[in-house]
Amino acid sequence: MAINIETLLNLETLYSTLMTYFDNPLTLLIVIATVIIVLIVIVWITKMVIDLAPYAYVNARIRSREARLLDDAKLNELIESGSLEELVGLLEDTDYGQYVVEVMNELKDPVAVEKALDMYLADLYALIYRISPDNAKKVLKVFAKKFDIKNIKTLIRAKFVGLNAEETYSLLIPLGNIPVEKLKELSEVKTVEEVIRGLDGTEYFKVLQEELSNYEQTSNIIGFELALDKYYLESLRKTIMTEGKEEDIFREFVGTLIDVENLKVILKGKADGLSADELSRYVSLTGYELASWKLKDLMSAGGIEGVLSGLEGTSYAEVLSEAMEEFEKTKSIYAFEKALDKFVLEKGKKLSTRKPFGVGPIIGLIVSKELEVKNLKVIIKGKIENLKPEEIRSLLISL
């Protein structure tokens, strides 16, 4: 577009006016550059404030929950308590109080206590979901599927051992994406096969149906559970891969979860003598740090020692090598599972500090509460089984 004479004259006038304030053109250029830099910084800060503003309220709520996490002194009190009733009394002034008090008459039943603690977690997830911004809700909604999967596993186990409708429904958590009426309906069926057929129309039906022939041949329900776990991890992966930059931190956290759960399946499979082909049915082959080829190598490795050797050069090598001594003493795969759970906790803590005004605190609270509930289940189960305090401590996961 041509510049007319009037425009040129105006520019010349503007230049002359500016030059009356500055000694030379270089000074003027420095001023202009400074103004541009200041404007860029203002735009960047404004964008950051706009991005993080939706998290201000949720993070304030989360910080208040973090302040009520059980400290080492409280855990020690619980471990040293003389009875289950005393332990419940110590929990009454905590977030778990109302949930555990409701099962006072069933304290000797670890299943009832576990359900009470799972109800707490489910309510916590529901709260975080309600108050979180929309972009975080997309990932949190997938996290909530874990309660659907827990309910399906419970239904399958209940029918496998022949529990009636009332006994079955009492074990379920009435939260998640499966409606309560559907859970009641599924509680009333008689067999595992009927549970699977009753889930027709849900996202879980295809996964379970593919395992049905294996169950009919082996009468072993573990295949259903592993298939559901794999489906859950793949659902998480699909969700985080379609989200934007704000969810990058979720991507790293969920990616670590996928790797860890894959390693648990592989190590458990090796301990049980499963072949690579059998393991491949239940391992999500799209890992995070562990690429598909690496996972295939680990599944083909010779025993647990071969798996640990194959992990050299990864973040998980040192973690699992340190747990090898405990495994050799106890011959229990729990030594590795505990080490991997601790690794997830440490990762979550690091990520929560990396983005303290965004999605970080959400991740921090989730991993802290998941760990806390696991430890409480261990303590309560230990009390039911009359374990000594030092025996209970050896089973806890801590930083």
Side-chain angles (χ1 to χ4, degrees), residues 25 36-37 43 72 75 83 108 159 163 166 186 229 231 246 249 297 300 332 334 342 361 366 374-375:
I36 292 171
I37 291 170
V43 169
D72 289 342
L75 286 173
S83 65
K108 294 292 183 181
K159 297 310 162 183
L163 298 188
E166 185 179 348
L186 292 169
D229 290 339
Y231 176 74
E246 177 57 37
I249 194 168
D297 283 353
S300 301
S332 170
Y334 180 70
K342 181 178 178 180
I366 286 173
K374 279 184 181 179
N375 281 339

Side-chain angles (χ1 to χ4, degrees), residues 239-256:
T239 301
I240 61 171
M241 290 307 173
T242 59
E243 296 307 315
K245 290 182 179 179
E246 177 57 37
E247 277 62 51
D248 283 348
I249 194 168
F250 264 138
R251 188 172 290 118
E252 187 171 347
F253 175 60
V254 171
T256 301

Side-chain angles (χ1 to χ4, degrees), residues 100-282:
V100 181
V101 166
E102 287 174 5
V103 293
M104 275 293 289
N105 295 329
E106 303 172 86
L107 282 182
K108 294 292 183 181
D109 181 1
V111 176
V113 177
E114 182 171 324
K115 180 188 172 181
L117 293 172
D118 285 336
M119 282 295 298
Y120 167 79
L121 265 186
D123 286 346
L124 179 65
Y125 270 98
L127 170 66
I128 295 173
Y129 179 81
R130 284 197 308 272
I131 64 177
S132 291
D134 289 342
N135 52 359
K137 280 182 177 177
K138 293 172 184 176
V139 179
L140 291 170
K141 188 172 184 179
V142 184
F143 274 128
K145 285 185 183 181
K146 69 190 303 176
F147 298 105
D148 285 342
I149 288 171
K150 188 171 184 65
N151 279 334
I152 294 171
K153 287 180 180 180
T154 300
L155 285 163
I156 290 172
R157 290 172 193 162
K159 297 310 162 183
F160 185 71
V161 298
L163 298 188
N164 63 33
E166 185 179 348
E167 291 168 326
T168 301
Y169 187 70
S170 70
L171 300 175
L172 302 179
I173 302 168
L175 291 165
N177 299 318
I178 300 175
V180 172
E181 289 306 313
K182 171 59 79 172
L183 292 176
K184 288 180 179 177
E185 179 187 317
L186 292 169
S187 298
E188 292 169 2
V189 305
K190 305 293 185 186
T191 66
V192 171
E193 291 86 348
E194 287 179 285
V195 172
I196 309 306
R197 287 197 295 271
L199 287 165
D200 192 4
T202 72
E203 61 185 293
Y204 309 104
F205 176 65
K206 184 180 178 183
V207 178
L208 295 167
Q209 189 182 41
E210 289 173 354
E211 277 297 319
L212 200 51
S213 60
N214 184 48
Y215 167 70
E216 290 168 349
Q217 292 172 13
T218 64
S219 295
N220 192 333
I221 60 173
I222 190 65
F224 292 124
E225 300 188 355
L226 291 173
L228 285 167
D229 290 339
K230 178 181 177 181
Y231 176 74
Y232 172 63
L233 292 177
E234 290 183 341
S235 297
L236 278 174
R237 182 186 60 79
K238 287 175 186 174
T239 301
I240 61 171
M241 290 307 173
T242 59
E243 296 307 315
K245 290 182 179 179
E246 177 57 37
E247 277 62 51
D248 283 348
I249 194 168
F250 264 138
R251 188 172 290 118
E252 187 171 347
F253 175 60
V254 171
T256 301
L257 278 181
I258 292 171
D259 281 350
V260 162
E261 293 305 318
N262 276 337
L263 284 172
K264 286 181 181 179
V265 172
I266 291 171
L267 289 165
K268 180 74 165 59
K270 292 299 175 184
D272 293 342
L274 297 185
S275 67
D277 286 342
E278 289 172 308
L279 278 171
S280 66
R281 295 172 57 191
Y282 308 116

